[in-house]
Amino acid sequence: MVTLNDKDKEYLFGKIRDVHDFPKSGIIFKDITTLLNDKEAFNFLINHLTKRYETLDFEFITGIESRGFIFAGALAAKLNRAFVPIRKPKKLPYTTISEKYSLEYGIDEIEIHIDAFSTAKQNPPKVLLIDDLIATGGTAVAAIKLLQKIHVECVEACFVMNLKFLKGDAEIVKTTPVYSVLEVF
Ligand code: AMP
């Protein structure tokens, strides 16, 4: 499957803004709004993901709230696949199933509609998972567990960026292939 060359990675890196000490002191926040605001760069990224995934066998693309929705939604429309949102608690209106996961301080939870894959033609349904960034990996691991609970196969977990030094992908690769467009070492 296609990846980007160093020149193209550098181009996209140049569109992402580092915001220091957000949301708290010591964190360098990778701000993707500057990339989204550049129509050539956003288009370049979605075209790259289209090329990577157009021949991979899956029916659904699921995005993690909220920045994951932007990339997953755009790619789902381009690839003519169904979109499934994974959301924070109490946002989805119909019956949900959920998965809790640990944060640095406390616990968080994500939810998915129980019938999100009821239109699947494949058994098990196959899905591509997308989020903007992998840090500790907690969110993505919980999302994959949530999919496993409802017997859905995640064919790949895809991120725009991977903060490699946090080794968040180590747990995911045990069950699921991981692709990051950009890696921060
Ligand atoms: P984690 O569960 O630790 O892998 O965190 C991943 C989620 O937190 C992603 O949905 C990101 O949007 C967000 N996130 C964590 N760290 C950062 C960061 N340094 N810059 C931007 N987003 C971040």
Side-chain angles (χ1 to χ4, degrees):
M1 280 191 288
V2 291
T3 58
L4 285 185
N5 62 38
D6 288 348
K7 188 168 153 275
D8 291 341
K9 285 184 191 174
E10 219 171 283
Y11 166 69
L12 284 181
F13 261 126
K15 304 295 173 184
I16 293 162
R17 175 165 57 189
D18 282 359
V19 181
H20 290 254
D21 301 318
F22 181 88
K24 58 183 182 186
S25 177
I27 304 281
I28 301 174
F29 192 86
K30 298 288 181 187
D31 178 15
I32 51 132
T33 63
T34 42
L35 186 156
L36 301 173
N37 202 242
D38 182 322
K39 61 181 197 262
E40 277 88 22
F42 187 27
N43 208 31
F44 180 86
L45 174 62
I46 296 300
N47 283 339
H48 164 59
L49 294 176
T50 302
K51 276 186 219 124
R52 182 175 174 83
Y53 292 117
E54 61 195 352
T55 56
L56 192 63
D57 181 27
F58 61 91
E59 285 183 85
F60 298 87
I61 299 183
T62 184
I64 303 176
E65 183 173 357
S66 58
R67 287 180 292 273
F69 288 178
I70 300 163
F71 304 103
L75 189 62
K78 267 236 148 165
L79 287 177
N80 195 29
R81 316 288 164 101
F83 172 73
V84 173
I86 290 180
R87 299 209 63 180
K88 301 283 183 198
K90 305 198 191 314
K91 300 276 190 188
L92 289 167
Y94 188 61
T95 310
T96 58
I97 58 157
S98 66
E99 182 70 32
K100 290 191 172 62
Y101 59 103
S102 305
L103 296 173
E104 198 179 350
Y105 301 105
I107 296 238
D108 212 341
E109 199 171 358
I110 47 173
E111 293 185 341
I112 196 166
H113 271 151
I114 195 146
D115 63 348
F117 302 97
S118 60
T119 58
K121 293 186 179 66
Q122 298 174 319
N123 187 17
K126 290 183 186 169
V127 60
L128 172 71
L129 175 72
I130 298 194
D131 203 0
D132 67 325
L133 183 140
I134 179 166
T136 66
T139 314
V141 167
I144 290 166
K145 282 188 184 155
L146 189 58
L147 294 169
Q148 284 167 345
K149 258 188 191 170
I150 51 174
H151 310 291
V152 169
E153 185 186 331
C154 184
V155 293
E156 186 151 275
C158 169
F159 307 90
V160 178
M161 253 171 303
N162 180 0
L163 305 187
K164 265 296 217 186
F165 55 93
L166 293 175
K167 300 184 172 63
D169 53 2
E171 193 59 30
I172 304 173
V173 294
K174 289 179 188 167
T175 62
T176 309
V178 173
Y179 175 61
S180 312
V181 180
L182 306 172
E183 291 182 322
V184 182
F185 292 95

